[in-house]
Amino acid sequence: MNLDKLVRLNIAFKPSKNVIEKVVSISREIGKNNGIFFVLDNIQFHPHITIYAPKYRKDDINKVLKDVKEIAKNTGNIEFQFQKASGGQGFIGVKFNYSPDIKKLHEKIVAKLNPLQKKDIKNENQESSDYHYNFSPEQKKNIKKYGYPDAMALYSPHLTITRLKNEFLTESILKNINWDIPVFTTNQIAVYEMGEHGSCKKLIKEFYLSSK
């Protein structure tokens, strides 16, 4: 398989406007006094809540977009409830409760798109090099089955704010995050092209959820 023809896509919830503004502000503030790998700006690095993020052949992108559009129009708006600020291996973010509606959509998207995803069988370390992350044995099993470490039983809705170059500062940074949006609703999911460290570097297409 020609790896140059593979691209990692992130099918993700697009947060509400107030949440985007909040995480862009926090990301920028963390970056003022700490070495970080990226700053969210909603231009080059897009705030997102990952649903499913495997690799696809570039020729299959339109199929992915068609499937996501069909799912979106049959899915109502999704409510998110803040759980806690969270991090690990330098990642800084916020976690949300895993509601039945989020679970249903995640499982539906994985079931629909998993048959299209392409595994890099010759290079089992490719996932780790993409994310620069040490995966657990369970995550490695998920990579083999779904092409994404945190699918299905390991899925946890979260929004990454940035990644620190010095991971030993993670806990002190988390303690200073003031999150004042306990609940928000999103009415869009989007497909992004991914960059390094789990970032989304390019918005390919966004889809409105049904208002029903």
Side-chain angles (χ1 to χ4, degrees), residues 38-53:
F38 62 88
V39 177
L40 294 179
D41 57 9
N42 207 33
I43 301 171
Q44 292 180 306
F45 296 100
H46 297 265
H48 64 279
I49 302 169
T50 296
I51 302 172
Y52 184 44

Side-chain angles (χ1 to χ4, degrees), residues 58-76:
K58 290 182 179 180
D59 291 345
D60 287 335
I61 290 178
N62 284 336
K63 293 180 183 177
V64 172
L65 296 177
K66 181 180 178 182
D67 286 343
V68 173
K69 179 180 180 180
E70 186 65 24
I71 291 172
K73 76 177 186 180
N74 290 295
T75 301

Side-chain angles (χ1 to χ4, degrees), residues 12-43:
F13 295 103
K14 185 175 181 180
S16 57
K17 182 179 178 182
N18 62 327
V19 171
I20 289 175
E21 291 173 348
K22 179 75 174 180
V23 294
V24 166
S25 175
I26 296 174
S27 186
R28 187 184 300 124
E29 194 64 30
I30 293 173
K32 286 181 180 178
N33 301 308
N34 302 277
I36 59 178
F37 287 103
F38 62 88
V39 177
L40 294 179
D41 57 9
N42 207 33
I43 301 171

Side-chain angles (χ1 to χ4, degrees), residues 34 54 66 69 81 87 105 123 143 162 169 184 190 197 202:
N34 302 277
K66 181 180 178 182
K69 179 180 180 180
Q81 295 184 350
L105 182 57
N123 186 0
I143 290 168
T162 191
L169 296 174
F184 69 92
H197 305 286
K202 179 182 178 183

Side-chain angles (χ1 to χ4, degrees), residues 122-152:
K122 293 183 179 179
N123 186 0
E124 293 184 355
N125 295 319
Q126 184 65 35
E127 299 290 333
S128 296
S129 65
D130 284 353
Y131 286 93
H132 305 277
Y133 194 86
N134 295 318
F135 292 117
S136 69
E138 292 78 12
Q139 287 176 313
K140 289 179 180 178
K141 289 179 182 177
N142 259 2
I143 290 168
K144 289 183 178 180
K145 186 173 183 179
Y146 301 110
Y148 174 62
D150 297 323
M152 305 305 275

